[in-house]
Coordinates of all heavy atoms in Angstrom, one line a residue:
N1 N 4.9 47.0 67.8 CA 5.4 45.8 68.4 C 4.5 44.6 68.1 O 3.3 44.6 68.4 CB 5.5 46.0 69.9 CG 6.6 45.2 70.6 OD1 7.4 44.5 69.9 ND2 6.7 45.2 71.9
H2 N 5.0 43.6 67.4 CA 4.2 42.5 66.9 C 4.4 41.3 67.9 O 5.5 41.1 68.4 CB 4.7 42.0 65.5 CG 4.6 43.1 64.5 ND1 3.4 43.5 64.0 CD2 5.5 43.9 63.9 CE1 3.6 44.5 63.1 NE2 4.8 44.7 63.0
S3 N 3.3 40.6 68.1 CA 3.4 39.4 69.0 C 3.9 38.3 68.2 O 3.6 38.2 67.0 CB 2.1 39.2 69.7 OG 1.1 38.9 68.7
K4 N 4.5 37.3 68.8 CA 4.9 36.1 68.1 C 3.7 35.2 67.8 O 2.7 35.3 68.4 CB 5.9 35.3 69.0 CG 7.1 36.1 69.4 CD 8.1 36.1 68.3 CE 9.4 36.8 68.9 NZ 10.2 37.3 68.0
I5 N 3.9 34.4 66.8 CA 2.8 33.5 66.4 C 3.1 32.1 66.9 O 4.2 31.7 67.2 CB 2.6 33.5 64.9 CG1 3.9 33.0 64.2 CG2 2.2 34.8 64.4 CD1 3.7 32.7 62.8
N6 N 2.0 31.3 67.0 CA 2.1 29.9 67.4 C 2.4 29.1 66.1 O 1.5 29.0 65.3 CB 0.8 29.5 68.1 CG 0.9 28.0 68.5 OD1 1.4 27.1 67.8 ND2 0.4 27.8 69.7
L7 N 3.6 28.6 66.0 CA 4.0 27.9 64.7 C 3.2 26.6 64.5 O 2.9 26.3 63.4 CB 5.5 27.7 64.7 CG 6.3 29.0 64.8 CD1 7.8 28.6 64.7 CD2 6.0 29.9 63.6
D8 N 2.9 25.9 65.5 CA 2.1 24.7 65.4 C 0.7 25.0 64.8 O 0.2 24.3 64.0 CB 2.0 23.9 66.7 CG 3.3 23.3 67.2 OD1 4.1 23.0 66.3 OD2 3.5 23.2 68.4
E9 N 0.1 26.0 65.4 CA -1.2 26.4 64.9 C -1.2 26.9 63.4 O -2.0 26.6 62.6 CB -1.8 27.6 65.7 CG -2.3 27.1 67.1 CD -3.4 26.1 67.0 OE1 -4.3 26.2 66.2 OE2 -3.3 25.1 67.8
L10 N -0.1 27.6 63.0 CA 0.1 28.0 61.7 C 0.1 26.8 60.7 O -0.5 26.8 59.7 CB 1.4 28.9 61.5 CG 1.7 29.3 60.1 CD1 0.8 30.6 59.8 CD2 3.1 29.7 59.9
L11 N 0.9 25.8 61.1 CA 1.0 24.6 60.2 C -0.3 23.9 60.1 O -0.7 23.5 59.0 CB 2.1 23.7 60.8 CG 3.5 24.1 60.5 CD1 4.4 23.1 61.2 CD2 3.8 24.1 59.1
K12 N -1.1 23.9 61.1 CA -2.5 23.3 61.0 C -3.4 24.1 60.1 O -4.1 23.6 59.3 CB -3.1 23.2 62.4 CG -2.6 22.0 63.2 CD -3.4 21.9 64.5 CE -2.4 21.8 65.7 NZ -3.1 21.9 67.0
D13 N -3.3 25.4 60.3 CA -4.2 26.3 59.5 C -3.8 26.3 58.0 O -4.7 26.5 57.2 CB -4.1 27.8 60.0 CG -4.7 28.0 61.4 OD1 -5.5 27.1 61.8 OD2 -4.4 29.0 62.0
Y14 N -2.6 26.1 57.7 CA -2.1 26.3 56.3 C -1.7 24.9 55.7 O -0.9 24.9 54.8 CB -1.0 27.3 56.2 CG -1.5 28.7 56.4 CD1 -1.4 29.3 57.7 CD2 -2.0 29.4 55.3 CE1 -1.9 30.6 57.8 CE2 -2.4 30.7 55.5 CZ -2.4 31.3 56.8 OH -2.9 32.5 56.9
Y15 N -2.2 23.8 56.3 CA -1.8 22.5 55.7 C -2.2 22.5 54.2 O -3.4 22.8 53.9 CB -2.5 21.4 56.5 CG -2.3 20.1 55.8 CD1 -1.1 19.4 55.9 CD2 -3.3 19.5 55.1 CE1 -0.9 18.2 55.3 CE2 -3.2 18.2 54.5 CZ -1.9 17.6 54.6 OH -1.8 16.4 54.0
L16 N -1.3 22.1 53.4 CA -1.6 22.0 51.9 C -2.1 20.6 51.6 O -1.3 19.6 51.7 CB -0.4 22.3 51.1 CG 0.0 23.8 51.1 CD1 1.3 23.9 50.2 CD2 -1.1 24.6 50.5
D17 N -3.3 20.5 51.2 CA -3.9 19.2 50.8 C -3.8 19.1 49.3 O -4.7 19.7 48.6 CB -5.3 19.0 51.3 CG -5.9 17.7 50.9 OD1 -5.2 16.9 50.3 OD2 -7.1 17.4 51.3
F18 N -2.8 18.5 48.8 CA -2.6 18.5 47.3 C -3.6 17.7 46.6 O -3.8 17.9 45.4 CB -1.2 17.9 47.0 CG -0.1 18.9 47.3 CD1 0.6 18.9 48.5 CD2 0.3 19.9 46.3 CE1 1.6 19.9 48.8 CE2 1.3 20.8 46.6 CZ 1.9 20.8 47.8
S19 N -4.4 16.9 47.3 CA -5.5 16.2 46.6 C -6.6 17.1 46.1 O -7.4 16.7 45.3 CB -6.0 15.1 47.5 OG -6.7 15.6 48.6
L20 N -6.6 18.3 46.6 CA -7.7 19.2 46.2 C -7.4 19.9 44.9 O -8.3 20.5 44.3 CB -7.8 20.3 47.3 CG -8.3 19.8 48.7 CD1 -8.3 21.0 49.7 CD2 -9.6 19.2 48.6
F21 N -6.2 19.8 44.4 CA -5.8 20.5 43.2 C -6.2 19.7 42.0 O -6.3 18.5 42.0 CB -4.3 20.8 43.2 CG -3.9 21.7 44.3 CD1 -3.1 21.3 45.3 CD2 -4.2 23.1 44.2 CE1 -2.7 22.1 46.4 CE2 -3.9 23.9 45.3 CZ -3.1 23.5 46.3
T22 N -6.4 20.4 40.9 CA -6.8 19.8 39.6 C -5.7 19.8 38.6 O -4.6 20.4 38.9 CB -8.0 20.5 39.0 OG1 -7.6 21.8 38.6 CG2 -9.2 20.6 40.0
D23 N -6.0 19.3 37.4 CA -5.0 19.4 36.4 C -4.6 20.8 36.0 O -3.5 21.1 35.5 CB -5.5 18.7 35.1 CG -5.6 17.2 35.3 OD1 -5.0 16.7 36.2 OD2 -6.4 16.6 34.5
L24 N -5.5 21.7 36.3 CA -5.2 23.1 36.0 C -4.1 23.7 37.0 O -3.5 24.7 36.7 CB -6.4 24.0 36.1 CG -7.6 23.6 35.2 CD1 -8.8 24.5 35.5 CD2 -7.1 23.9 33.7
D25 N -3.8 23.0 38.0 CA -2.9 23.4 39.0 C -1.5 22.7 38.9 O -0.9 22.3 39.9 CB -3.5 23.2 40.4 CG -4.8 23.9 40.6 OD1 -4.8 25.1 40.4 OD2 -5.7 23.2 41.0
D26 N -1.1 22.4 37.7 CA 0.1 21.6 37.4 C 1.3 22.2 38.2 O 2.1 21.4 38.6 CB 0.4 21.6 35.9 CG -0.5 20.7 35.2 OD1 -1.2 19.8 35.8 OD2 -0.6 20.8 33.9
R27 N 1.5 23.5 38.2 CA 2.7 24.0 38.9 C 2.7 23.6 40.4 O 3.7 23.2 40.9 CB 2.7 25.5 38.8 CG 3.1 25.9 37.4 CD 3.3 27.4 37.2 NE 3.0 28.2 38.3 CZ 3.0 29.5 38.3 NH1 3.2 30.2 37.2 NH2 2.8 30.2 39.4
L28 N 1.5 23.6 41.0 CA 1.5 23.2 42.4 C 1.7 21.7 42.6 O 2.4 21.3 43.5 CB 0.2 23.6 43.1 CG 0.0 25.1 43.4 CD1 -1.4 25.4 43.9 CD2 1.0 25.5 44.4
L29 N 1.1 20.9 41.7 CA 1.3 19.5 41.8 C 2.7 19.1 41.5 O 3.2 18.1 42.1 CB 0.3 18.8 40.8 CG -1.2 18.9 41.2 CD1 -2.0 18.3 40.0 CD2 -1.5 18.2 42.5
N30 N 3.4 19.8 40.7 CA 4.8 19.5 40.4 C 5.7 19.8 41.6 O 6.8 19.2 41.6 CB 5.3 20.3 39.2 CG 4.7 19.9 37.9 OD1 4.3 18.7 37.8 ND2 4.6 20.7 36.9
I31 N 5.3 20.6 42.5 CA 6.2 20.8 43.7 C 5.7 20.0 44.9 O 6.4 20.1 46.0 CB 6.3 22.3 44.1 CG1 4.9 22.8 44.6 CG2 6.8 23.1 42.9 CD1 5.1 24.1 45.4
E32 N 4.7 19.2 44.8 CA 4.1 18.5 45.9 C 5.2 17.7 46.7 O 5.4 17.8 47.9 CB 3.0 17.6 45.5 CG 2.5 16.7 46.7 CD 1.3 15.8 46.3 OE1 1.1 15.6 45.1 OE2 0.8 15.2 47.2
D33 N 6.0 16.9 45.9 CA 7.0 16.0 46.6 C 8.1 16.9 47.2 O 8.5 16.6 48.3 CB 7.6 15.1 45.5 CG 8.4 14.0 46.2 OD1 7.9 13.4 47.2 OD2 9.6 13.8 45.8
K34 N 8.5 17.9 46.5 CA 9.5 18.8 47.0 C 9.0 19.5 48.3 O 9.7 19.7 49.3 CB 9.9 19.9 46.0 CG 10.6 19.3 44.8 CD 10.9 20.3 43.8 CE 11.5 19.7 42.5 NZ 11.8 20.7 41.5
W35 N 7.7 19.9 48.3 CA 7.1 20.6 49.5 C 7.2 19.7 50.7 O 7.5 20.1 51.8 CB 5.7 21.1 49.2 CG 5.0 21.7 50.3 CD1 4.2 21.0 51.2 CD2 5.2 23.0 50.8 NE1 3.8 21.9 52.2 CE2 4.4 23.1 52.0 CE3 5.9 24.1 50.3 CZ2 4.3 24.3 52.7 CZ3 5.8 25.3 51.0 CH2 5.0 25.4 52.2
K36 N 6.8 18.4 50.5 CA 6.7 17.5 51.6 C 8.1 17.2 52.2 O 8.2 16.8 53.4 CB 6.1 16.2 51.1 CG 4.6 16.3 50.8 CD 4.0 15.0 50.4 CE 2.6 15.1 50.1 NZ 2.0 13.9 49.6
H37 N 9.2 17.4 51.4 CA 10.5 17.2 51.9 C 11.2 18.4 52.5 O 12.3 18.3 53.0 CB 11.4 16.5 50.8 CG 11.0 15.1 50.5 ND1 10.1 14.8 49.6 CD2 11.3 14.0 51.2 CE1 9.9 13.5 49.6 NE2 10.7 13.0 50.5
L38 N 10.5 19.6 52.4 CA 11.1 20.8 53.0 C 11.0 20.6 54.5 O 10.1 20.0 55.1 CB 10.3 22.0 52.6 CG 10.4 22.6 51.3 CD1 9.5 23.8 51.1 CD2 11.9 23.0 51.0
K39 N 12.0 21.3 55.2 CA 12.0 21.3 56.6 C 10.7 22.1 57.0 O 10.3 23.0 56.3 CB 13.2 22.0 57.2 CG 14.5 21.2 57.0 CD 15.7 21.8 57.6 CE 16.1 23.1 56.8 NZ 17.3 23.7 57.3
E40 N 10.2 21.8 58.2 CA 9.1 22.5 58.7 C 9.3 24.0 58.8 O 8.4 24.8 58.5 CB 8.7 22.0 60.1 CG 7.4 22.5 60.7 CD 7.1 21.8 62.0 OE1 7.5 22.3 63.1 OE2 6.4 20.8 62.0
T41 N 10.5 24.4 59.2 CA 10.8 25.9 59.2 C 10.7 26.5 57.9 O 10.2 27.6 57.7 CB 12.3 26.0 59.7 OG1 12.5 25.3 60.9 CG2 12.6 27.5 59.9
D42 N 11.2 25.8 56.8 CA 11.1 26.4 55.5 C 9.6 26.5 55.1 O 9.2 27.5 54.5 CB 11.8 25.4 54.5 CG 13.3 25.4 54.6 OD1 13.8 26.3 55.3 OD2 13.9 24.5 54.1
Q43 N 8.8 25.5 55.4 CA 7.3 25.6 55.1 C 6.7 26.8 55.8 O 5.9 27.5 55.2 CB 6.6 24.3 55.5 CG 7.0 23.1 54.6 CD 6.3 21.9 55.1 OE1 5.6 21.9 56.1 NE2 6.5 20.8 54.3
I44 N 7.1 27.0 57.0 CA 6.5 28.1 57.8 C 6.9 29.5 57.2 O 6.0 30.4 57.0 CB 7.0 28.0 59.3 CG1 6.3 26.9 60.0 CG2 6.7 29.4 60.0 CD1 6.8 26.5 61.3
I45 N 8.1 29.6 56.8 CA 8.6 30.9 56.2 C 7.8 31.2 54.9 O 7.4 32.3 54.7 CB 10.1 30.9 56.0 CG1 10.8 30.9 57.4 CG2 10.6 32.0 55.1 CD1 12.3 30.7 57.4
I46 N 7.7 30.1 54.1 CA 7.0 30.3 52.8 C 5.5 30.7 53.1 O 4.9 31.6 52.5 CB 7.0 29.0 51.9 CG1 8.4 28.9 51.3 CG2 5.9 29.0 50.9 CD1 8.7 29.8 50.2
M47 N 4.9 30.0 54.0 CA 3.5 30.3 54.3 C 3.3 31.7 54.9 O 2.3 32.4 54.5 CB 2.9 29.2 55.3 CG 2.7 27.9 54.6 SD 2.0 26.6 55.7 CE 3.3 26.3 56.8
L48 N 4.2 32.1 55.8 CA 4.0 33.4 56.3 C 4.3 34.5 55.2 O 3.6 35.5 55.2 CB 5.1 33.6 57.4 CG 4.7 32.9 58.7 CD1 5.9 33.1 59.7 CD2 3.5 33.5 59.4
Y49 N 5.2 34.3 54.4 CA 5.5 35.2 53.3 C 4.3 35.3 52.3 O 3.9 36.4 51.9 CB 6.8 34.9 52.6 CG 7.1 36.0 51.6 CD1 7.5 37.2 52.0 CD2 7.1 35.7 50.2 CE1 7.8 38.2 51.1 CE2 7.4 36.7 49.3 CZ 7.8 38.0 49.7 OH 8.1 39.0 48.8
A50 N 3.7 34.2 52.1 CA 2.5 34.1 51.2 C 1.4 34.9 51.9 O 0.6 35.6 51.2 CB 2.1 32.7 50.9
E51 N 1.2 34.7 53.2 CA 0.2 35.4 53.9 C 0.3 36.9 54.0 O -0.6 37.7 53.8 CB 0.1 34.8 55.3 CG -0.9 35.4 56.2 CD -2.4 35.1 55.9 OE1 -2.6 34.1 55.2 OE2 -3.3 35.8 56.3
Y52 N 1.5 37.3 54.4 CA 1.8 38.7 54.7 C 2.5 39.5 53.5 O 2.4 40.7 53.5 CB 2.6 38.9 56.0 CG 1.9 38.4 57.2 CD1 2.2 37.2 57.7 CD2 0.8 39.1 57.7 CE1 1.5 36.7 58.9 CE2 0.1 38.6 58.8 CZ 0.5 37.4 59.4 OH -0.2 37.0 60.5
G53 N 3.2 38.8 52.7 CA 3.8 39.5 51.5 C 4.9 40.5 51.9 O 5.2 41.4 51.1
S54 N 5.4 40.4 53.1 CA 6.4 41.3 53.6 C 7.5 40.6 54.3 O 7.3 39.9 55.3 CB 5.7 42.3 54.5 OG 6.6 43.0 55.3
L55 N 8.7 40.8 53.8 CA 9.9 40.3 54.5 C 10.0 40.8 56.0 O 10.3 40.1 56.9 CB 11.2 40.6 53.8 CG 11.4 40.0 52.4 CD1 12.7 40.6 51.8 CD2 11.5 38.5 52.5
R56 N 9.7 42.1 56.1 CA 9.8 42.7 57.5 C 8.8 42.1 58.4 O 9.1 41.9 59.6 CB 9.7 44.2 57.4 CG 11.0 44.8 56.7 CD 11.0 46.3 56.7 NE 12.0 46.8 55.9 CZ 13.3 46.9 56.2 NH1 13.7 46.5 57.4 NH2 14.2 47.5 55.4
K57 N 7.6 41.9 57.9 CA 6.5 41.4 58.8 C 6.9 39.9 59.2 O 6.7 39.6 60.4 CB 5.2 41.4 58.0 CG 4.0 40.7 58.8 CD 3.6 41.5 60.0 CE 2.4 40.9 60.7 NZ 2.0 41.6 61.9
V58 N 7.3 39.1 58.3 CA 7.7 37.7 58.6 C 8.9 37.7 59.6 O 8.9 37.0 60.5 CB 8.1 37.0 57.3 CG1 8.6 35.6 57.6 CG2 6.9 36.8 56.4
A59 N 9.8 38.6 59.3 CA 11.0 38.7 60.2 C 10.6 39.1 61.6 O 11.0 38.5 62.6 CB 12.0 39.7 59.7
S60 N 9.6 40.0 61.7 CA 9.1 40.5 63.0 C 8.4 39.3 63.7 O 8.6 39.1 64.9 CB 8.2 41.6 62.8 OG 7.5 42.0 64.0
L61 N 7.6 38.6 63.0 CA 6.9 37.5 63.6 C 7.8 36.3 64.1 O 7.5 35.7 65.1 CB 5.9 36.9 62.6 CG 4.7 37.8 62.3 CD1 3.9 37.2 61.1 CD2 3.8 37.9 63.5
L62 N 8.9 36.1 63.4 CA 9.8 35.0 63.7 C 11.0 35.4 64.5 O 11.7 34.6 65.0 CB 10.3 34.3 62.4 CG 9.2 33.6 61.6 CD1 9.8 33.1 60.3 CD2 8.5 32.5 62.3
G63 N 11.2 36.7 64.7 CA 12.3 37.2 65.5 C 13.6 37.2 64.7 O 14.7 37.1 65.3
F64 N 13.6 37.2 63.4 CA 14.7 37.2 62.5 C 14.9 38.6 61.9 O 14.0 39.4 61.9 CB 14.6 36.3 61.3 CG 14.4 34.8 61.7 CD1 13.8 34.0 60.8 CD2 15.0 34.3 62.8 CE1 13.6 32.6 61.1 CE2 14.8 32.9 63.1 CZ 14.1 32.1 62.3
S65 N 16.0 38.9 61.3 CA 16.2 40.1 60.5 C 15.5 39.9 59.1 O 15.4 38.7 58.7 CB 17.7 40.5 60.3 OG 18.3 39.5 59.4
H66 N 15.1 41.0 58.5 CA 14.5 40.8 57.2 C 15.5 40.3 56.2 O 15.1 39.5 55.2 CB 13.9 42.1 56.7 CG 14.8 43.2 56.2 ND1 15.5 44.0 57.1 CD2 15.2 43.5 55.0 CE1 16.3 44.8 56.4 NE2 16.2 44.5 55.2
S67 N 16.8 40.5 56.3 CA 17.8 40.0 55.4 C 17.9 38.5 55.6 O 18.2 37.8 54.6 CB 19.1 40.7 55.5 OG 19.6 40.6 56.8
T68 N 17.8 38.0 56.8 CA 17.8 36.6 57.0 C 16.6 35.9 56.4 O 16.7 34.8 55.7 CB 17.8 36.3 58.5 OG1 19.0 36.8 59.1 CG2 17.8 34.8 58.8
V69 N 15.4 36.5 56.5 CA 14.2 35.9 55.9 C 14.4 35.9 54.4 O 14.1 34.9 53.7 CB 13.0 36.7 56.3 CG1 11.8 36.3 55.5 CG2 12.7 36.5 57.8
A70 N 15.0 37.0 53.8 CA 15.2 37.1 52.3 C 16.1 35.9 51.9 O 15.9 35.3 50.9 CB 15.8 38.4 52.0
K71 N 17.2 35.7 52.7 CA 18.1 34.6 52.4 C 17.4 33.2 52.4 O 17.6 32.4 51.5 CB 19.3 34.6 53.4 CG 20.3 33.6 53.1 CD 21.4 33.6 54.2 CE 22.2 32.3 54.2 NZ 22.6 31.9 55.5
Y72 N 16.6 33.0 53.5 CA 15.9 31.8 53.6 C 14.9 31.6 52.4 O 14.9 30.5 51.8 CB 15.0 31.7 54.9 CG 15.8 31.3 56.1 CD1 15.8 32.1 57.2 CD2 16.4 30.1 56.1 CE1 16.5 31.7 58.4 CE2 17.1 29.6 57.3 CZ 17.1 30.5 58.4 OH 17.8 30.1 59.5
L73 N 14.2 32.6 52.0 CA 13.3 32.5 50.9 C 14.0 32.2 49.6 O 13.5 31.3 48.8 CB 12.5 33.8 50.7 CG 11.3 34.0 51.7 CD1 10.8 35.4 51.6 CD2 10.3 33.0 51.5
Q74 N 15.1 32.8 49.4 CA 15.9 32.5 48.2 C 16.3 31.0 48.2 O 16.2 30.3 47.1 CB 17.1 33.4 48.1 CG 17.9 33.2 46.8 CD 19.1 34.2 46.8 OE1 19.5 34.8 47.8 NE2 19.7 34.3 45.6
E75 N 16.8 30.5 49.3 CA 17.2 29.1 49.4 C 16.0 28.1 49.2 O 16.1 27.1 48.5 CB 17.9 28.8 50.7 CG 19.2 29.5 50.9 CD 19.8 29.4 52.3 OE1 19.2 28.8 53.2 OE2 20.9 30.0 52.5
I76 N 14.9 28.5 49.8 CA 13.7 27.7 49.7 C 13.2 27.6 48.3 O 12.8 26.5 47.7 CB 12.6 28.2 50.7 CG1 13.0 28.0 52.1 CG2 11.3 27.4 50.4 CD1 12.2 28.8 53.1
R77 N 13.1 28.8 47.6 CA 12.7 28.8 46.2 C 13.5 27.9 45.3 O 13.1 27.2 44.5 CB 12.7 30.2 45.7 CG 11.6 31.1 46.2 CD 11.6 32.5 45.7 NE 10.6 33.3 46.3 CZ 10.8 34.5 46.7 NH1 12.0 35.1 46.5 NH2 9.8 35.2 47.2
S78 N 14.9 27.9 45.6 CA 15.7 27.1 44.8 C 15.5 25.6 45.0 O 15.7 24.8 44.1 CB 17.2 27.4 45.1 OG 17.6 27.0 46.3
K79 N 15.0 25.2 46.2 CA 14.7 23.9 46.5 C 13.4 23.4 45.8 O 13.2 22.3 45.4 CB 14.5 23.6 48.0 CG 15.8 23.8 48.8 CD 15.5 23.7 50.3 CE 16.7 24.0 51.1 NZ 16.4 23.9 52.6
L80 N 12.5 24.4 45.6 CA 11.2 24.1 45.0 C 11.2 24.2 43.5 O 10.3 23.6 42.9 CB 10.1 25.0 45.6 CG 9.7 24.9 47.1 CD1 8.8 26.0 47.5 CD2 9.1 23.5 47.3
C81 N 12.0 25.0 43.0 CA 12.0 25.2 41.5 C 13.0 24.3 40.8 O 13.9 23.8 41.2 CB 12.3 26.7 41.2 SG 11.1 27.7 41.9

């Protein structure tokens, strides 16, 4: 049984400061504007997936089904790419 996470704390912990990236990080810099325009929910889902690497873990933390998380990730990726 997984406990829910504090989403506000997550956003503070995982704030992306794009000014820290260098020219070697072109792929990240290319999505900066797109990232800033994502809904907060989309950012949270991406950050959790990057942290845990598991659809089921993210789903458990957010109270969604893993198929819903998979659908969200697919939609978010299409917005970023």
